[in-house]
Amino acid sequence: MTIVTSDLPASTPLATGDALELVGVTRAFGALRAIEDVSFTVAAGERRAVIGANGAGKTTLFNVITGDFPASAGRVHFFGEDITEVPAYDRIRMGLRRTYQSSLLFRDLTVWDNLFLAVRGVARGRFDFRRPRASHPSRVATDELLERVRLQPVAQRPVSSLSHGQQRQLEIGMALAGAPRLILFDEPAAGLSPGERRELVALLGALPDHMGFILIEHDLDIALRVVEQVTVMHNGRVLKHGTPHQIENDGEVAAIYMGGGRHA
Amino acid sequence: MSAAHWRKAMNFTDAGRSWSGGRAIAPPRQTTRTAAGSATTSRGWLQSWRQIGARHVAVLLAVLVYPWIVPPFFTYQIGGQALVLGLIALSLTFLAGYGGMLSLAQMTVAGIAGYIVAILGASGTPEISLGWPWWLVVVLAIAGGTLAATLIGWLSVRTEGIYTIMITLAVGMAFFYLAQQNYAIFNGFQGFQKVVPPVVLGVDWRQPMPFYYLALFWALAGYLFVKYLIRAPFGIALQGVRDNARRMSALGFSPVAHRVAAYAVAGFIASIGGVLLVWYNGLITPGSVGTSWMINILIVAVLGGMRHPVGPFIGAVVFVLLQNFAIDLIDRERFNLVIGLVFLVIVLFSPDGLLGWWDKLREWASRRMAQSRTNPVRGNGWRSIGVAQVRPAGRR
Amino acid sequence: MSFARRWFWAWLFGLPVLALTIWGIADNQRLFLVTALNGLTLAALYFLVASGFTLVFGLLRNVNLAHGSLYLLGAYVGWVAGEYLGSWFLAVAAGFLFAALMGLLLQIGVFRFMHGQDLRQTMATIALSIIAADVALWVWGGEIYQFDPPRWIIGATALPIVGKFPTYRLVLLAMAIVIGLALWWFLARTRVGMMIRAGVDDRAMLSASGIDVQMVFAITFAIGAGLAGFAGVVGGTALSIAPGEDTRYLLASLVVVIVGGMGSVAGAALGAVLVGVAEQFGLAYAPTYGIVFSFVIMALVLAFRPQGILGRRA
Amino acid sequence: MNERRGMLIGLLSTAALGVVFAGGAQAQETVKIGLLATLEGPFAAGGQDGMRGAELAVKERGGMVAGKKIEIIKASSDAKPDVAVNATRKLVEQDKVQIMVGPLSGSEGIAVKDYSKSQPGITFINGSSGAQATTLVNPSPNFFRFNTEGAQWMVGLGDYVLNDKKYKKMALIAEDYAFPYSQVQGFMAGYCKAGGKVTHKAWVPLGGKDYSSVIAKLPTDVDALLVVLGGADAVNFLTQYEQNGGDKPMVGGSITVDQTVLNFKGKRRESLLGTPAAGPMADSIDTPAWKKFVADYKANFKDGFPSPSLFAFVYYINMKAALDGLEAVKGDLSGGQEKYREALKNLKLQTPVGEITLDENRQAIGPTFITEVAKGADGTFYNKVVKTNASVNQRLNLPKEEFDKMGLGSRDVPSCP
């Protein structure tokens, strides 16, 4: 993928404090505890992978962070601010972003409309009744996003007619709209071809330095290559934190995770 | 909005968060981009004119000339009534087709606006009616209707799908019974008679032709408004909420706020329709907001098809023609049977209403043409292209 | 909801109700008790209609807006049967069977083809109810029909304090309790009932478990519709049958299940009691707006508990 | 457009005929009369019978008046004024009827009367609507009502039940809208004046079916109940009152014990026996004219009621007036129907119950009857005449000032607790 321009000038003064801090977060569905007592901190600009077998609670963790499901217990802090009770859309407006595992796109709308929505969602004028002019910054921003995820040729096609890879690209593009501070990528590489995976790695690697992200990925080749920290989850709990190198060489992790099959 | 303005808007202005986003935006490099989203509006109205095809002109001419070639009865009772009912049903099409919220209370909203016209304006019940000037009354009626619609929306957006239908039906019935039982304000069962449009600019707007053009103006205005709005940020976001509210909230939108706003917009349209309806009938009674009319509006909208803002007007014409002439076609007074059967057939065989049939016809015609042109080739290629063309973006 | 907030709401609504109750008893003991009893018996009728409605919704996730038509058609057919066979009990059976058959036809002929398409189902049933109402008017005219139940049912029974009270209404109350218990037994103890409940909880699980889903749906629909027809005859006996009753009972069912919670038989019972009692007290103490009361209750429930009192969040 | 072509052909052929016959009277061979009644909803039974009554009046003349064929074009409403006006407008403007007969209910009547002002070339004759205001408030010069209305019908009933039945104190249960208001006014105007007391008024919402709590609230220290409910509601009330062990005698309004109610499909009508009521007709009027009317009705409508209902009767006399007026002018509707209207105004309408004339507002002045429900030899129920008011006007035979002071009936007017 080509060079991705920075969303922010590199010298933007950032908020003090860590990007994300989870304190004893628990989420229960009835009697079932999908995640239990999860605590960890992600520094501003940090890139972290969350790995673990299926059912380890990774996606639930994302849902709790973004507010799709409220936490049953525990607190979530975002750049020093307690967002546990903040509605999902407000967290997004604060600079949090996410992609979804199985793409949740607006299948009947066009690619352009999808990106446009992502741009408008974090800007003012969400209720604007006027169609924006071509020179309108929101349209320019949309067009740039389109270019960045290289979907110009299909801009006016409904999403339902896109290939899987294109849909994943669009999903990422939507997460990049506005000025994200922390992005949660939920298995962005799933179902991609080797070529597409390479592009994805390039794209992740080229994200501006201040833009941290958390990545759920089964493909450890990808996961461990683009991150600085790794959290291993098992049965809804945090098993281990460490650098990619440490995790790769950890016997326990290998036993419960890799032993269970990389793509289990 | 200037680029600088926009930059400011993109920033998170909350002073508490010492963080600043946004970016310097370069002017668009290539203006010849194919994006239709750009194409439709990139040169404003100039571009929009290009979309106008021969059929638009033909239809516009037809509706303009119509009252000159038919007797006054057709001008008023068929034309005028269809336009007014179509306008009220348009509000439902907007709400249901683009917002995914099927409200049966649109007639209630129209009725509330109508009642306000009767109560604040002049009527045959001077003990209640205040006789305020018509322009003030109309403004207040539309404001009141919109407010009522917002409240109904606030109450019902917590629910989805079928719950919405039932709750709006129940809210509508509550208003019906309130209007029927309250004499101090709503004059109970009798309602208000002799609520006539004013004489403005020397024109008696109650006469068939002036009324027709008045209704036509607002119907066109409503149609264009909806057509414009569905491509504006608000409209696109509304369709997003319709398709996946959770995803919208993960993009920074508040689905509840958007839905309530959609109710308000639909209520605004329905209120204009309600003012015209009370003028059309010259009266308003609880019967005008009862179950049968609430469901009739749904029938009108579904009959025409909810995929396009022209649907409700087509539905209204068919409905009004049936209502007036069904009794001439069949021996017994079985109007309801006919309307019920027509409605059932539409629902069973054409989910997109009459518009759906129109599309199928076009598809069939284009297929025939394609076949005759490239007869030997019988691949599947045309199908995918055809479907993509028949179901353009932003529609279900 | 926290404990304290729960108490707050309990007091907010409970205190005025309690105060009104005390005032009502002190003011006119007999009137208060009669009204309460009337409310319960009306609730019995509402429960009979609404339980079928809520059962069908709970499992099939479609609102059958022709439910009121099933009520009316069941009543008419029951009346005809009663006229020819000379037995009120046979009329009740005929009403039940006919409506159940119609329900079966609806499920097989209409709903099966539009599973999961809420909007289409709703509109198809609206269309069907319009057609049914006109056909009924065609066949039975606009006259008023009343049933001819056995003598012992329709007299008055002397009760303490209340004095004379219609026997039939007490029978109706008993019938509703019996049917309610029977429904509970059917759902809790029989195989089909368990399948239905499983389907209410998780439809995917139902189809995954190799059960003939269509058959379960058809049985449920038949029972739900049959209950409407049953209520038609039973309710027609308490009041009368005439055009327009279909909409009336459809609306009553709607309000009852919205208040009680969609898909819950217990919710239907609770909703029916609330709505029936409110309606009767409204009629007795504030006749002008009595009829608006049930809608006010509904709005209140919606504002604080959108899924209904005993409903589960979707 | 079909209609347009029709008009064109009509125009051309009229012109052609005009040349040939030099008078063009042939175009007037038929007279089109529009007939509007309620055929949907709760009033459907009444509407159907109203249609029968109107048809009977046409059949009596063999479908011809003064050598012209009478063509009836029917329309239906659902008792809602907006629908009634739409149906009327269609009959007048599309079907080109020259005379309009209808509608059925009170609010519809007021709305159609308002509409009639915009069609000065057409003559409107009432169907069975009985709102006082139709002719009392802003009357329309081309709207005629040959039937007496709700308040007139009840005149004299108050005196009768007070003096003959000795009901000194009564409670009232009635539906909460205009028609019962006027019925109650007609009753109470006389009853209160004669010294009777109405201690309790229960206005029940229209369409509420379950009256048991209203019944529970009725005072027990009254002599009788005045029940002004119509159709299904009356049957529901009677059944429930009986089941609640109610034992007070009843006094009925005009549609409480109408044929539609006396013939409901059930066997619990016994409690109605002896119920006094009043109305513009009665089943057992002992005149040859009435007996002929009933016989004709029975002969013509096998599917009708055992005896014509109030709706049949009222539609009959209004249609008859339309035809008699037409006869009087020899079918001449020219000159904006001026002559025809003049004839209607001066018509001394011979009806099965006696002579009806019009007042200055074109409202009927005519006989009314006080009746009691009785059971015939064949088991059918009917209203037996016990007293006849030779002539009642719209001011209830009161002096103008006294009536105007009282005003139109409402929830609280009149009052004598």
Side-chain angles (χ1 to χ4, degrees), chain B residues 176 180 189-190 193 283 285-288 292-293 336, chain D residues 36-47 75-85 87 103-112 128-129 177 206 311 315:
Chain B
F176 163 75
Q180 180 176 290
F189 185 78
Q190 287 105 310
Q193 313 270 352
L283 56 90
T285 66
S288 318
S292 58
W293 270 113
N336 282 319
Chain D
L36 171 68
T38 299
L39 298 174
E40 298 160 43
F43 288 114
S76 160
S77 80
D78 56 357
K80 287 194 208 100
D82 45 357
V83 178
V85 172
L104 179 128
S105 70
S107 312
E108 292 180 279
I110 296 176
V112 169
S128 67
S129 83
Y177 74 102
L206 198 65
F311 294 106
Y315 264 92

Side-chain angles (χ1 to χ4, degrees), chain D residues 65-83:
Chain D
V65 174
K68 301 194 176 188
K69 195 170 169 301
I70 301 296
E71 187 187 344
I72 299 288
I73 303 174
K74 289 183 188 176
S76 160
S77 80
D78 56 357
K80 287 194 208 100
D82 45 357
V83 178

Side-chain angles (χ1 to χ4, degrees), chain C residues 178-196:
Chain C
V178 169
I179 297 245
L181 288 176
L183 264 182
W184 171 81
W185 176 83
F186 170 75
L187 288 174
R189 294 275 183 272
T190 65
R191 199 179 122 72
V192 179
M194 276 186 255
M195 285 195 273
I196 292 174

Side-chain angles (χ1 to χ4, degrees), chain B residues 159-200:
Chain B
T159 61
E160 282 195 346
I162 258 147
Y163 291 80
T164 312
I165 296 172
M166 295 192 296
I167 280 149
T168 48
L169 178 63
V171 168
M173 286 313 291
F175 178 71
F176 163 75
Y177 282 120
L178 179 71
Q180 180 176 290
Q181 290 303 118
N182 182 297
Y183 276 79
I185 299 172
F186 294 103
N187 204 29
F189 185 78
Q190 287 105 310
F192 297 89
Q193 313 270 352
K194 288 170 79 174
V195 187
V196 290
V199 177
V200 184

Side-chain angles (χ1 to χ4, degrees), chain A residues 67-126:
Chain A
D68 283 29
F69 304 148
S72 309
R75 312 303 298 173
V76 182
H77 298 269
F78 187 65
F79 283 94
E81 217 169 316
D82 187 343
I83 59 166
T84 319
E85 309 285 332
V86 172
Y89 53 86
D90 264 343
R91 303 185 193 196
I92 303 301
R93 293 175 200 174
M94 289 164 75
L96 187 63
R97 297 285 187 282
R98 78 170 292 182
T99 68
Y100 285 87
Q101 194 173 3
S102 52
S103 23
L104 276 177
L105 298 164
F106 302 104
R107 301 179 58 80
D108 293 336
L109 299 184
T110 61
V111 171
W112 195 89
D113 285 346
N114 271 271
L115 287 171
F116 184 67
L117 278 179
V119 169
R120 297 299 294 223
V122 289
R124 279 195 189 157
R126 279 175 284 265

